[in-house]
Amino acid sequence: MDIKFNKNEDHNKLAVSDLRQRFAKVKLGGGEKRIAKQHDKGKLTARERINFLLDEPEKAIEIGAFAGDKMYAEHGGCPSGGVVVKIGSVGGKQCIVVANDATVKAGAWFPITAKKNLRAQEISIENRLPIIYLVDSAGVYLPMQDEIFPDKEHFGRIFRNNAVMSSMGITQISAVMGSCVAGGAYLPIMSDEAIIVDKTGSIFLAGSYLVKAAIGESVDNETLGGATIHSEISGVTDYKAADDRDALTRIKNVMGKIGDFDKAGYNREKPLKPTEKQEDIYGILPAKRTDQYDMMEIIKRLVDNSEIDEYKAGYGKTIITGYARIDGWAVGIVANQRKLVKTKKGEMQFGGVIYSDSADKATRFIANCNQKKIPLVFLQDVTGFMVGSKSEHGGIIKDGAKMVNAVSNSVVPKFTVVIGNSYGAGNYAMCGKAYDPRLIVAWPSAELAVMSGNSAAKVLLQIETASLKKQGKEITEEIEKELYERIKSRYDEQVSPYYAAARLWTDAIIDPLETRKWISMGIEAADHAPIEKKFNLGVIQV
């Protein structure tokens, strides 16, 4: 091993260590005092409920753990968006579980909470996965109601989706384990089956204080909408549980009796581990996002038996395309090659840049995978499309548009891993969030933005200095340097993978060594949803 490998390894292992520390903090939700308060009420926390429910909690994957990170500071923060979402198995059936975290503002809904809940439902709809709601929420966070209540992607969309999912035959089960108020009260009754926990669970359109204010009636919450009322009088719920564990056990029993699903039929063989040492990824991946490296060495440490059948290996070399297996599943890989490559004509092409020939190759390969019903895996480390007169005259816009078209119209499931750079139109062509990947995850080394921090800071500096000069201010070299550093620092914060994860531009930030697990579980989920459309590129310029 050389010194550069060792430096890269140290850098990337530190980044993974930082990830683990951040996650440990996030898992505390509203903090240890509020967790203790939850326990004092005889209730489990959101994460404890999910862990009790899942067959094998350690094998689950978590969606949006960093949602809300460093957002809403003026409101006290909203760790994990105030809701925990995991994909795992319950009663032997893969499903998605959504649990309100009552330690965060009593489980109240912030704007990011709604976005995260909608993402969970989107995953359920795309993959026809059963969904379980563990309800314990005070409803909409009123100080921000204007950002969560009326729009298409706000709170009400949840219940619209409940209805649509029911018509699609997607199993939905609710357990009311705490408050379930106002609009949120529709959730259990719009589910297939609803369970309520005695003494701690309650459902009503308006609580006792609001009832008193609205109609003058004095009534306590238990009499208004407790477990006995809804299980024996109103008929809103189907089962009354003694406590949290009893409710969760009932869900397990129901899930264990669900019949098998129609499979999409993606090819899978016996899983094999990579023959190349997976931990070497830390040393291969550069500490600097501008440094070159061989993406093929990363791929060999992600795929079964370290084998890939490369497609058009000698053509369009800044994108690697090929067939491989990940945890036994057949996949088509589209990856940005990050090393400087030489064409047959002797020209040099920059790694991480998409040229006309590489866009053309990727388009053909994506079409092939759709024809063969092979899921696609995109490994992103892209700075964008090649610019300049030569590229423009050669039709880079046309070739890039064809690639974007193929990604957009792909009917096989797509999975995206942001390894390094994810800039500009390169993000789009390599299946960024806007292009409906079933799952999109980032490594701690990822950067997502219109352009790199250095490039953006230089552009923004020119704009700001020009503005200051118009105001008659003198810009010295020292002032210009100070402006540049301030602009770059602000921009660097925005390109961080944590900034993206906070806003759910990605589903998770993961240790590179967890990549195979995420893709495998993603394809397992996708196998629940047979392909119903044919691949059609539509109208494109040829």
Side-chain angles (χ1 to χ4, degrees):
M1 299 297 177
D2 59 22
I3 188 68
K4 187 175 181 180
F5 182 98
N6 292 335
K7 285 182 177 180
N8 290 340
E9 187 176 44
D10 290 344
H11 173 86
N12 290 312
K13 283 186 174 181
L14 282 171
V16 170
S17 176
D18 178 53
L19 168 63
R20 288 174 182 151
Q21 289 175 30
R22 288 174 183 249
F23 184 51
K25 185 176 180 181
V26 157
K27 285 201 293 185
L28 291 174
E32 292 178 348
K33 288 184 179 178
R34 286 180 180 152
I35 290 173
K37 192 174 179 181
Q38 185 92 336
H39 289 162
D40 289 343
K41 294 177 182 177
K43 296 162 68 176
L44 301 174
T45 65
R47 291 182 181 279
E48 288 168 345
R49 286 167 176 167
I50 293 177
N51 285 345
F52 184 90
L53 181 64
L54 293 173
D55 298 337
E56 298 177 283
E58 69 284 354
K59 291 186 178 180
I61 56 176
E62 181 168 351
I63 305 295
F66 292 103
D69 184 49
K70 295 185 179 178
M71 297 169 68
Y72 315 118
E74 67 276 21
H75 297 281
C78 188
S80 280
V83 60
V84 183
V85 176
K86 292 192 179 186
I87 300 175
S89 291
V90 176
K93 304 291 190 300
Q94 191 183 43
C95 59
I96 187 160
V97 185
V98 181
N100 300 115
D101 187 347
T103 70
V104 179
K105 287 286 192 297
W109 287 55
F110 283 68
I112 197 67
T113 316
K115 188 173 183 179
K116 186 170 174 180
N117 274 269
L118 288 170
R119 175 59 178 148
Q121 288 185 322
E122 181 183 37
I123 292 170
S124 174
I125 291 168
E126 285 182 330
N127 299 290
R128 306 292 195 273
L129 276 188
I131 187 166
I132 298 167
Y133 308 99
L134 306 181
V135 186
D136 194 346
S137 171
V140 167
Y141 183 61
L142 289 178
M144 300 187 77
Q145 65 86 25
D146 60 321
E147 296 181 49
I148 187 175
F149 169 66
D151 211 345
K152 181 179 178 181
E153 300 302 325
H154 284 178
F155 188 67
R157 189 75 171 182
I158 304 292
F159 314 119
R160 176 264 184 195
N161 285 352
N162 287 144
V164 170
M165 292 160 73
S166 182
S167 73
M168 294 171 67
I170 297 172
T171 298
Q172 300 177 83
I173 299 174
S174 292
V176 180
M177 312 179 84
S179 297
C180 183
V181 301
Y186 290 107
L187 180 68
I189 201 61
M190 296 187 78
S191 299
D192 300 343
E193 298 187 70
I195 300 162
I196 188 168
V197 178
D198 196 22
K199 306 303 183 211
T200 57
S202 58
I203 309 171
F204 32 67
L205 293 180
S208 56
Y209 293 124
L210 185 53
V211 168
K212 177 70 175 177
I215 63 172
E217 180 185 358
S218 295
V219 60
D220 63 85
N221 284 340
E222 186 65 25
T223 303
L224 185 64
T228 299
I229 297 298
H230 286 310
S231 296
E232 300 176 16
I233 297 176
S234 74
V236 167
T237 56
D238 304 303
Y239 310 97
K240 180 169 73 171
D243 54 26
D244 281 7
R245 289 178 177 82
D246 183 30
L248 297 168
T249 300
R250 287 172 182 267
I251 294 174
K252 286 185 182 185
N253 292 339
V254 171
M255 288 296 297
K257 295 177 179 65
I258 294 175
D260 205 358
F261 55 90
D262 295 331
K263 295 177 175 62
Y266 301 117
N267 184 276
R268 192 181 198 187
E269 293 183 353
K270 182 181 178 181
L272 297 171
K273 291 183 178 180
T275 54
E276 300 286 347
K277 188 179 177 184
Q278 293 180 67
E279 289 79 5
D280 284 350
I281 288 173
Y282 299 131
I284 295 166
L285 190 67
K288 293 182 180 178
R289 296 277 54 80
T290 52
D291 286 356
Q292 303 273 299
Y293 66 96
D294 188 354
M295 177 63 82
M296 186 59 80
E297 293 303 316
I298 299 289
I299 293 172
K300 287 178 181 177
R301 287 156 178 82
L302 294 177
V303 301
D304 290 16
N305 215 33
S306 297
E307 291 178 345
I308 177 170
D309 298 319
E310 198 172 352
Y311 172 82
K312 286 186 177 290
Y315 176 72
K317 292 182 180 179
T318 63
I319 286 184
I320 296 170
T321 52
Y323 304 105
R325 291 189 181 277
I326 293 178
D327 198 36
W329 294 104
V331 296
I333 292 176
V334 181
N336 301 111
Q337 176 56 283
R338 277 308 312 271
K339 70 177 183 179
L340 202 65
V341 298
K342 184 185 286 188
T343 68
K344 292 294 183 182
K345 295 178 181 178
E347 298 171 334
M348 299 306 294
Q349 294 183 339
F350 296 102
V353 178
I354 302 175
Y355 290 78
S356 283
D357 56 355
S358 47
D360 175 63
K361 177 173 82 170
T363 301
R364 294 189 193 192
F365 182 72
I366 290 166
N368 281 343
C369 287
N370 275 273
Q371 180 111 350
K372 297 176 177 67
K373 205 163 77 169
I374 299 173
L376 286 159
V377 174
F378 292 83
L379 303 179
Q380 284 194 11
D381 195 343
V382 58
T383 54
F385 287 89
M386 190 58 188
V387 297
S389 60
K390 185 176 180 180
S391 291
E392 298 293 359
H393 297 170
I396 185 67
I397 296 176
K398 176 185 66 178
D399 292 318
K402 286 193 291 187
M403 183 176 173
V404 169
N405 197 315
V407 173
S408 302
N409 287 300
S410 181
V411 296
V412 295
K414 298 167 292 193
F415 302 90
T416 302
V417 182
V418 186
I419 289 175
N421 304 322
S422 182
Y423 299 151
N427 169 282
Y428 302 159
M430 291 294 294
C431 198
K433 182 67 183 289
Y435 291 79
D436 298 321
R438 296 293 176 96
L439 293 172
I440 177 170
V441 297
W443 290 1
S445 48
E447 289 188 359
L448 292 85
V450 172
M451 61 182 77
S452 70
N454 282 329
S455 299
K458 288 173 183 175
V459 173
L460 293 169
L461 177 65
Q462 290 175 36
I463 295 170
E464 193 158 338
T465 52
S467 175
L468 291 170
K469 284 175 181 176
K470 280 184 181 179
Q471 297 171 31
K473 295 181 181 179
E474 183 183 353
I475 306 298
T476 65
E477 190 176 321
E478 288 77 16
I479 291 174
E480 189 172 288
K481 184 179 179 182
E482 183 183 330
L483 279 172
Y484 173 80
E485 292 299 332
R486 189 169 74 241
I487 292 168
K488 187 174 183 303
S489 175
R490 184 174 67 240
Y491 196 86
D492 283 346
E493 182 182 346
Q494 294 178 0
V495 305
S496 161
Y498 293 97
Y499 190 91
R503 289 151 185 82
L504 290 172
W505 301 344
T506 61
D507 291 315
I509 305 171
I510 65 169
D511 182 337
L513 303 187
E514 293 181 338
T515 305
R516 283 169 52 84
K517 173 184 176 181
W518 273 77
I519 293 171
S520 178
M521 284 200 68
I523 300 176
E524 182 185 346
D527 204 36
H528 287 69
I531 297 172
E532 296 173 349
K533 295 190 299 181
K534 288 186 177 181
F535 177 65
N536 189 338
L537 280 178
V539 177
I540 57 172
Q541 297 287 339
V542 294

